Amino acid sequence: DAGITQSPRHKVTETGTPVTLRCHQTENHRYMYWYRQDPGHGLRLIHYSYGVKDTDKGEVSDGYSVSRSKTEDFLLTLESATSSQTSVYFCAISEQGKGLGYFGPGTRLTVT
Amino acid sequence: DQQVKQNSPSLSVQEGRISILNCDYTNSMFDYFLWYKKYPAEGPTFLISISSIKDKNEDGRFTVFLNKSAKHLSLHIVPSQPGDSAVYFCAANGFGNEKLTFGTGTRLTIIP
């Protein structure tokens, strides 16, 4: 299995609180991605990174920010969580950037 | 606007028969297509891909067909096995674009 982990795996938080999800890889892959999975929507890209300190927005980036200060870590922050951000969040990594990557196990986030 | 569509939310197939999962896309700039398989409580795993310069790619029991004129691709699984029961996502991206666009997924159930 590819070396990609996510923490925490489960989190329940209240509306308005900040939340940070962490993705850690040991593969030294250049590209890292954050997706959310929701029923009826499949997987939607939130943000991605193409190198240290290089990030760009995906299709559902509103309400989210990211940071990548090291190759191995990609952080997703919800500045002020809302109920619409209740979802399962997946991190993915890719060496080539053509989608031939690996996904992490996911983080289930519930905002009450 | 859903650029990658999987119009069948679910599909049931007898063990040993052929499973055919379909995917349509609208963006003519897409030139690389992938299928991912996802089990419950796990991240998606890469299954098979195809470039737009081909119309077929085969890997063991899995074959992906691409019809560019119809903007349609399909995944064939022959013979279907109980372990194939999962959600299958179709995904696509374009030349020079590191971002994958996913379909909404099809839940495949193999009946023993």
Side-chain angles (χ1 to χ4, degrees), chain A residues 27-67:
Chain A
E27 304 296 320
N28 202 36
H29 283 186
R30 178 183 175 191
Y31 296 90
M32 298 186 76
Y33 307 81
W34 277 107
Y35 284 89
R36 60 179 288 177
Q37 184 194 4
D38 303 288
H41 292 279
L43 290 153
R44 292 180 293 175
L45 181 64
I46 305 171
H47 282 280
Y48 74 105
S49 170
Y50 46 96
V52 173
K53 298 194 190 309
D54 294 322
T55 65
D56 202 354
K57 296 179 179 179
E59 61 182 304
V60 290
S61 59
D62 286 348
Y64 301 95
S65 62
V66 290
S67 65

Coordinates of all heavy atoms in Angstrom, one line a residue, chain A residues 27-67:
Chain A
E27 N 5.7 8.9 0.1 CA 6.1 8.5 -1.2 C 6.9 9.6 -2.0 O 7.3 9.4 -3.1 CB 4.8 8.2 -2.0 CG 3.9 7.2 -1.4 CD 4.6 5.8 -1.3 OE1 5.3 5.5 -2.3 OE2 4.5 5.1 -0.3
N28 N 7.0 10.8 -1.4 CA 7.7 11.9 -2.0 C 7.1 12.3 -3.3 O 7.8 12.8 -4.3 CB 9.2 11.6 -2.2 CG 10.0 12.8 -2.4 OD1 9.8 13.8 -1.7 ND2 11.0 12.8 -3.2
H29 N 5.7 12.2 -3.4 CA 5.0 12.6 -4.7 C 4.8 14.1 -4.7 O 4.6 14.7 -3.7 CB 3.7 11.8 -4.8 CG 3.8 10.4 -5.2 ND1 2.8 9.6 -5.5 CD2 4.9 9.6 -5.4 CE1 3.2 8.4 -5.8 NE2 4.5 8.4 -5.8
R30 N 4.9 14.6 -5.9 CA 4.8 16.1 -6.1 C 3.4 16.6 -5.8 O 3.2 17.6 -5.2 CB 5.3 16.4 -7.5 CG 5.2 17.9 -7.8 CD 5.6 18.2 -9.2 NE 5.4 19.6 -9.5 CZ 5.5 20.1 -10.8 NH1 5.7 19.3 -11.8 NH2 5.3 21.4 -11.0
Y31 N 2.4 15.9 -6.4 CA 1.1 16.4 -6.3 C 0.3 15.8 -5.1 O 0.3 14.6 -4.9 CB 0.3 16.1 -7.6 CG 0.9 16.7 -8.9 CD1 1.9 16.0 -9.6 CD2 0.5 17.9 -9.3 CE1 2.4 16.6 -10.7 CE2 1.0 18.5 -10.4 CZ 1.9 17.8 -11.1 OH 2.5 18.4 -12.3
M32 N -0.5 16.7 -4.5 CA -1.4 16.3 -3.4 C -2.7 17.0 -3.6 O -2.8 18.1 -4.1 CB -0.8 16.6 -2.0 CG 0.5 15.9 -1.7 SD 1.1 16.1 -0.1 CE 0.1 15.0 0.9
Y33 N -3.8 16.3 -3.2 CA -5.1 16.7 -3.5 C -6.0 16.5 -2.3 O -5.8 15.6 -1.5 CB -5.8 16.0 -4.7 CG -5.0 15.9 -6.0 CD1 -3.9 15.0 -6.1 CD2 -5.3 16.7 -7.0 CE1 -3.2 15.0 -7.3 CE2 -4.6 16.7 -8.2 CZ -3.5 15.8 -8.3 OH -2.8 15.7 -9.5
W34 N -7.0 17.4 -2.2 CA -8.1 17.2 -1.2 C -9.4 17.1 -2.0 O -9.8 18.0 -2.7 CB -8.2 18.3 -0.2 CG -7.2 18.1 1.0 CD1 -6.1 18.9 1.2 CD2 -7.3 17.2 2.1 NE1 -5.5 18.5 2.4 CE2 -6.2 17.4 2.9 CE3 -8.3 16.2 2.4 CZ2 -6.0 16.7 4.1 CZ3 -8.0 15.5 3.5 CH2 -6.9 15.7 4.4
Y35 N -10.1 16.0 -1.7 CA -11.5 15.8 -2.3 C -12.5 15.6 -1.2 O -12.1 15.2 -0.1 CB -11.5 14.5 -3.2 CG -10.8 14.6 -4.5 CD1 -9.5 14.3 -4.7 CD2 -11.6 15.0 -5.6 CE1 -8.9 14.4 -5.9 CE2 -11.0 15.1 -6.9 CZ -9.6 14.8 -7.0 OH -9.0 14.9 -8.3
R36 N -13.7 15.9 -1.5 CA -14.8 15.5 -0.6 C -15.8 14.6 -1.4 O -16.0 14.8 -2.6 CB -15.5 16.8 0.0 CG -16.2 17.7 -1.0 CD -16.9 18.9 -0.3 NE -18.1 18.4 0.4 CZ -18.9 19.2 1.1 NH1 -18.6 20.5 1.3 NH2 -20.0 18.7 1.7
Q37 N -16.3 13.7 -0.6 CA -17.3 12.8 -1.3 C -18.6 12.9 -0.6 O -18.8 12.8 0.6 CB -16.8 11.3 -1.1 CG -17.8 10.3 -1.8 CD -17.6 8.9 -1.4 OE1 -16.8 8.6 -0.6 NE2 -18.3 8.0 -2.1
D38 N -19.6 13.2 -1.4 CA -21.0 13.4 -0.9 C -22.0 12.6 -1.8 O -21.7 12.5 -3.0 CB -21.4 14.9 -1.0 CG -20.4 15.7 -0.2 OD1 -20.5 15.7 1.1 OD2 -19.6 16.5 -0.8
P39 N -23.0 12.0 -1.3 CA -24.0 11.3 -2.1 C -24.6 12.2 -3.2 O -24.9 13.3 -3.0 CB -25.1 11.0 -1.0 CG -24.4 11.0 0.3 CD -23.4 12.1 0.2
G40 N -24.6 11.6 -4.4 CA -25.1 12.3 -5.5 C -24.1 13.2 -6.2 O -24.4 13.8 -7.3
H41 N -23.0 13.4 -5.6 CA -22.0 14.3 -6.2 C -20.6 13.6 -6.5 O -19.8 14.2 -7.2 CB -21.7 15.4 -5.2 CG -22.8 16.4 -5.1 ND1 -23.1 17.4 -6.0 CD2 -23.8 16.5 -4.1 CE1 -24.2 18.0 -5.6 NE2 -24.6 17.5 -4.4
G42 N -20.5 12.4 -6.1 CA -19.2 11.7 -6.3 C -18.1 12.4 -5.5 O -18.3 12.8 -4.4
L43 N -16.9 12.5 -6.2 CA -15.8 13.1 -5.5 C -15.5 14.4 -6.2 O -15.4 14.5 -7.4 CB -14.5 12.2 -5.7 CG -14.5 10.9 -5.0 CD1 -13.7 9.9 -5.7 CD2 -14.0 11.1 -3.6
R44 N -15.4 15.5 -5.4 CA -15.2 16.8 -5.9 C -13.9 17.4 -5.3 O -13.7 17.3 -4.1 CB -16.4 17.7 -5.6 CG -17.7 17.3 -6.3 CD -18.8 18.2 -5.9 NE -19.2 18.1 -4.5 CZ -20.2 18.8 -3.9 NH1 -20.8 19.8 -4.6 NH2 -20.5 18.6 -2.7
L45 N -13.2 18.0 -6.2 CA -11.8 18.5 -5.8 C -12.0 19.9 -5.0 O -12.7 20.8 -5.5 CB -11.0 18.8 -7.0 CG -9.6 19.3 -6.8 CD1 -8.8 18.3 -6.0 CD2 -8.9 19.6 -8.2
I46 N -11.4 19.9 -3.9 CA -11.4 21.1 -3.1 C -10.2 22.1 -3.4 O -10.4 23.2 -3.8 CB -11.4 20.8 -1.6 CG1 -12.6 19.8 -1.2 CG2 -11.6 22.1 -0.7 CD1 -12.5 19.2 0.2
H47 N -9.0 21.5 -3.2 CA -7.8 22.2 -3.5 C -6.7 21.2 -3.9 O -6.9 20.0 -3.5 CB -7.2 23.0 -2.2 CG -7.9 24.3 -1.9 ND1 -7.6 25.4 -2.6 CD2 -8.8 24.6 -1.0 CE1 -8.3 26.4 -2.1 NE2 -9.1 25.9 -1.1
Y48 N -5.7 21.6 -4.5 CA -4.6 20.7 -4.8 C -3.3 21.5 -4.7 O -3.3 22.7 -4.7 CB -4.8 20.0 -6.1 CG -4.5 20.8 -7.3 CD1 -3.3 20.7 -8.1 CD2 -5.5 21.7 -7.8 CE1 -3.1 21.4 -9.2 CE2 -5.2 22.5 -8.9 CZ -4.1 22.3 -9.6 OH -3.8 23.1 -10.8
S49 N -2.2 20.7 -4.6 CA -0.9 21.3 -4.5 C 0.1 20.6 -5.6 O 0.0 19.4 -5.7 CB -0.3 21.1 -3.1 OG 1.1 21.4 -3.1
Y50 N 0.9 21.4 -6.2 CA 1.8 20.9 -7.2 C 3.2 21.1 -6.8 O 4.2 21.0 -7.6 CB 1.6 21.5 -8.6 CG 1.4 23.0 -8.6 CD1 2.4 23.8 -8.9 CD2 0.1 23.5 -8.4 CE1 2.3 25.2 -9.0 CE2 -0.1 24.9 -8.4 CZ 1.0 25.7 -8.7 OH 0.9 27.1 -8.8
G51 N 3.4 21.4 -5.5 CA 4.7 21.5 -4.9 C 4.7 22.2 -3.6 O 3.6 22.8 -3.2
V52 N 5.8 22.3 -2.9 CA 5.8 23.0 -1.6 C 5.4 24.5 -1.8 O 6.0 25.1 -2.7 CB 7.2 22.9 -0.9 CG1 7.3 23.7 0.3 CG2 7.5 21.4 -0.6
K53 N 4.5 24.9 -1.1 CA 3.9 26.3 -1.1 C 3.2 26.6 -2.4 O 2.8 27.8 -2.6 CB 5.0 27.3 -0.8 CG 5.7 27.2 0.5 CD 6.5 28.4 0.8 CE 7.4 28.2 2.1 NZ 6.6 27.8 3.3
D54 N 3.0 25.6 -3.3 CA 2.3 25.9 -4.5 C 0.9 25.2 -4.5 O 0.9 23.9 -4.5 CB 3.1 25.3 -5.7 CG 4.3 26.1 -6.0 OD1 4.3 27.4 -5.8 OD2 5.4 25.5 -6.3
T55 N -0.1 25.9 -4.4 CA -1.5 25.4 -4.3 C -2.4 26.1 -5.3 O -2.1 27.2 -5.7 CB -2.0 25.5 -2.9 OG1 -2.2 26.8 -2.6 CG2 -1.1 24.8 -1.9
D56 N -3.5 25.4 -5.6 CA -4.5 26.0 -6.4 C -5.9 25.5 -6.0 O -6.0 24.4 -5.4 CB -4.2 25.7 -7.9 CG -4.9 26.7 -8.9 OD1 -5.6 27.5 -8.4 OD2 -4.6 26.5 -10.1
K57 N -6.9 26.2 -6.5 CA -8.3 25.9 -6.1 C -8.9 24.8 -7.0 O -8.6 24.7 -8.2 CB -9.2 27.1 -6.2 CG -8.8 28.2 -5.2 CD -9.7 29.4 -5.4 CE -9.3 30.5 -4.4 NZ -10.2 31.7 -4.5
G58 N -9.8 24.0 -6.4 CA -10.6 23.1 -7.2 C -12.0 23.7 -7.4 O -12.2 24.9 -7.2
E59 N -12.9 22.8 -7.6 CA -14.3 23.2 -8.0 C -15.1 23.6 -6.8 O -16.2 24.3 -6.9 CB -15.0 22.1 -8.8 CG -15.2 20.8 -8.0 CD -15.8 19.7 -8.9 OE1 -16.9 20.0 -9.4 OE2 -15.2 18.6 -9.0
V60 N -14.8 23.2 -5.5 CA -15.6 23.5 -4.4 C -14.7 24.0 -3.3 O -14.7 23.6 -2.1 CB -16.4 22.3 -3.9 CG1 -17.5 21.9 -4.8 CG2 -15.5 21.1 -3.6
S61 N -13.9 25.1 -3.5 CA -12.9 25.6 -2.6 C -13.4 26.6 -1.6 O -12.8 26.9 -0.6 CB -11.8 26.2 -3.4 OG -12.3 27.3 -4.2
D62 N -14.6 27.1 -1.8 CA -15.2 28.1 -0.9 C -15.3 27.6 0.5 O -15.9 26.5 0.7 CB -16.5 28.6 -1.4 CG -16.4 29.5 -2.6 OD1 -15.3 30.0 -2.9 OD2 -17.5 29.8 -3.2
G63 N -14.8 28.3 1.5 CA -14.8 27.9 2.9 C -13.7 27.0 3.3 O -13.6 26.7 4.5
Y64 N -12.7 26.8 2.4 CA -11.6 25.9 2.7 C -10.3 26.7 2.4 O -10.2 27.4 1.4 CB -11.6 24.6 1.9 CG -12.8 23.8 2.1 CD1 -13.9 23.8 1.2 CD2 -12.9 22.8 3.1 CE1 -15.0 23.0 1.4 CE2 -14.0 22.0 3.3 CZ -15.0 22.1 2.4 OH -16.1 21.3 2.5
S65 N -9.3 26.4 3.1 CA -7.9 26.8 2.8 C -7.0 25.7 3.0 O -7.3 24.7 3.7 CB -7.5 28.0 3.6 OG -7.4 27.7 5.0
V66 N -5.8 25.8 2.3 CA -4.8 24.7 2.4 C -3.4 25.3 2.6 O -3.2 26.4 2.3 CB -4.8 23.8 1.2 CG1 -6.1 22.9 1.1 CG2 -4.6 24.6 -0.1
S67 N -2.5 24.4 3.1 CA -1.1 24.8 3.2 C -0.3 23.6 3.0 O -0.6 22.5 3.4 CB -0.8 25.5 4.6 OG -1.0 24.5 5.6

